[in-house]
DNA sequence: TTCATGGTTCGACGCTAATCGAACCATTGC
DNA sequence: GCAATGGTTCGATTAGCGTCGAACCATGAA
């Protein structure tokens, strides 16, 4: 048998509670040390090490060694996407009982997804930029229009400033809480960096929540030309 | 611990080879009997029954009993989406070695995804309909424009003909082979039905491949106003 | 009714893998 | 060089689960 892509192998890797907790902890795109991940998952260092070795073998995470610290991060944006999709499923399933998620409305408002903005404000940004023609889809590929770069420039995101990598400039990422798209890719990541720099928002330590200041959210909406 | 959405539970469900094979067999949206799924996964009836009970408990599949036959189908479009996302990850991982998939270029050309068209022709359709303004995105929600309904009417898809359900009229679904979007939702499903009715294409039994006839593909491209 | 077919339940076997204690390796600081 | 800290490797224990044979239940046809 052994059908083409062995989906079960990677699903099994995510299927362990300890591993999934670690993966979810990395879903914000940060690189965490093995020890931090161990405590995050509530297991000992030895166990975590064995799990991380497996995840590394499956390329679900990448390792970066700095001195005596071993930093782990997600293996790629596609891994983050799969995790979000699984979150969407479990959300719908437990949602029939829990309804609308037990806690963390803040998580629905704005959160980090790998390295870009997700949640209501993420979807709002995507929608407005799409309507205003900043983002355009040419033969299926999402991109930034000529006029769009000017608009992005207002906030400090320029075409030259983007790292020259294989990563797509723009990409849409499905939002599990909103069931809509938000902006990923290099532009999505750069936008979030600028928002942090301008102190419109900051991360809430230990969570994926992005806390906007009142004036920061107002500034974002102004830039987006969004009502309210 | 037991973090919010227990993503690991459903990932573990997909993580077993037998179960993932059954799920992939259902990814085309068909409802299959327990026996068919058993042979598909290469296991005995008893084992399959136990697996299906688990999947049912996790709401990854839905059961429909007709006489002495028990039909199983995927639990929802979100499940299909998660499976496709996992396919995307395993594709990228094994792809570094296997490169571009060992077999089935036909699967990349055109295949069924839950109940709509995916693959190159699926992406092409999405792109063309988007460019021609048949599909429009209004405040993030994909829909059909006024003029778009006329265009869809040419092929037999009318606004009245759609089932009145909670399922979105239009929805974009990520394509694992193309890394682009193709059209899902009620319109996506209806379009494929029309294509089958017009004998432009037919399913290849036992696989997810959709085989277009030469004249059928030409007719599709003509309707799409696509070159070649 | 009786038989055949499709599915599920029960029980037992075997294997994998998760877990932690202890020892071992590497880096940093004194 | 020596301790301290962060990580990994090794080994042993344990529990869970996938698997199948056999029995049981339901439906449909003769």
């Amino acid at each position: 048998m052994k059908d083409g892509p062995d989906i079960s192998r990677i699903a099994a890797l995510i299927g362990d509670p300890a591993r999934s907790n670690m993966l979810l902890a990395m879903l914000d795109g940060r690189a965490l040390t093995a020890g931090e991940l161990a405590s995050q998952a509530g297991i000992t260092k030895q166990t975590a090490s064995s799990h991380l070795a497996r995840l590394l073998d499956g390329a679900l995470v990448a390792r970066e060694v700095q001195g005596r610290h071993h930093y782990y991060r997600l293996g790629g944006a596609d891994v983050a996407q799969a995790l979000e999709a699984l979150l969407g499923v479990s959300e719908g399933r437990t949602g029939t009982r829990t309804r609308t998620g037990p806690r963390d409305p803040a998580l629905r408002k704005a959160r980090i997804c790998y390295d870009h903005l997700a949640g209501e404000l993420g979807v709002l940004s995507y929608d407005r930029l799409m309507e205003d023609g900043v983002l355009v889809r040419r033969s299926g590929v999402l991109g930034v229009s000529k006029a769009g770069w000017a608009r992005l420039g207002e906030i400090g995101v320029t075409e030259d400033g983007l790292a020259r990598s294989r990563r797509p400039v723009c990409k849409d990422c499905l939002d599990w809480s909103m069931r809509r798209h938000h902006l990923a890719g290099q532009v999505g990541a750069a936008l979030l960096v600028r928002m942090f720099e301008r102190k419109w928002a900051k991360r809430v330590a230990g969570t994926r929540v992005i806390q906007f200041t009142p004036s920061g959210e107002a500034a974002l909406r102004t830039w987006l030309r969004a009502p309210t």
Side-chain angles (χ1 to χ4, degrees), chain A:
Chain A
M1 289 301 140
K2 266 299 156 221
D3 225 342
D6 50 350
I7 164 179
S8 66
R9 205 174 76 90
I10 63 157
L13 283 175
I14 309 175
D16 180 78
R19 283 196 290 263
S20 72
N21 276 333
M22 292 195 281
L23 287 172
L24 288 178
M26 288 181 274
L27 190 50
D28 52 13
R30 275 181 313 176
L32 299 175
T33 68
E36 288 172 321
L37 289 169
S39 69
Q40 191 77 19
I43 52 180
T44 62
K45 288 183 296 186
Q46 312 93 293
T47 310
S49 178
S50 126
H51 283 310
L52 288 170
R54 281 169 162 267
L55 291 174
L56 196 59
D57 180 61
L60 290 188
V61 302
R63 174 161 57 182
E64 196 172 336
V65 180
Q66 278 182 19
R68 58 180 167 184
H69 292 274
H70 293 204
Y71 286 96
Y72 289 89
R73 69 176 71 248
L74 285 190
D78 53 347
V79 178
Q81 184 126 4
L83 289 173
E84 288 266 335
L86 286 171
L87 277 172
V89 175
S90 64
E91 173 76 1
R93 296 301 169 276
T94 61
T96 47
R97 300 162 195 160
T98 324
R99 213 60 194 145
T100 191
R103 46 144 189 54
D104 274 5
L107 209 60
R108 297 174 176 280
K109 173 89 172 185
R111 67 173 181 280
I112 199 165
C113 171
Y114 197 54
D115 60 1
H116 52 268
L117 181 63
E120 290 174 21
L121 291 180
V123 172
L124 174 69
S125 301
Y126 180 88
D127 290 352
R128 290 294 306 126
L129 294 179
M130 210 65 175
E131 282 180 8
D132 285 0
V134 174
L135 302 176
V136 287
R137 191 181 297 278
R138 275 187 292 259
S139 64
V141 182
L142 201 62
V144 179
S145 68
K146 196 82 177 175
W149 281 116
R151 177 78 165 274
L152 290 174
E154 296 175 11
I155 206 174
V157 176
T158 62
E159 195 164 6
D160 302 331
L162 295 183
R164 191 171 309 276
S165 75
R166 276 161 307 176
R167 185 177 180 196
V169 174
C170 290
K171 192 166 182 318
D172 30 18
C173 180
L174 195 63
D175 203 291
W176 63 264
S177 63
M178 298 284 285
R179 309 263 170 151
R180 301 247 213 103
H181 285 107
H182 56 250
L183 183 61
Q186 291 196 55
V187 170
L191 268 179
L192 185 58
V193 170
R194 298 294 171 270
M195 295 182 195
F196 286 147
E197 285 178 356
R198 291 169 175 244
K199 306 235 185 298
W200 288 2
K202 65 174 194 293
R203 303 265 326 256
V204 176
T207 73
R208 297 172 55 207
V209 172
I210 295 181
Q211 181 72 52
F212 272 77
T213 67
S215 62
E217 181 174 344
L220 173 61
R221 289 180 182 275
T222 301
W223 177 68
L224 290 173
R225 278 80 158 155
T228 309

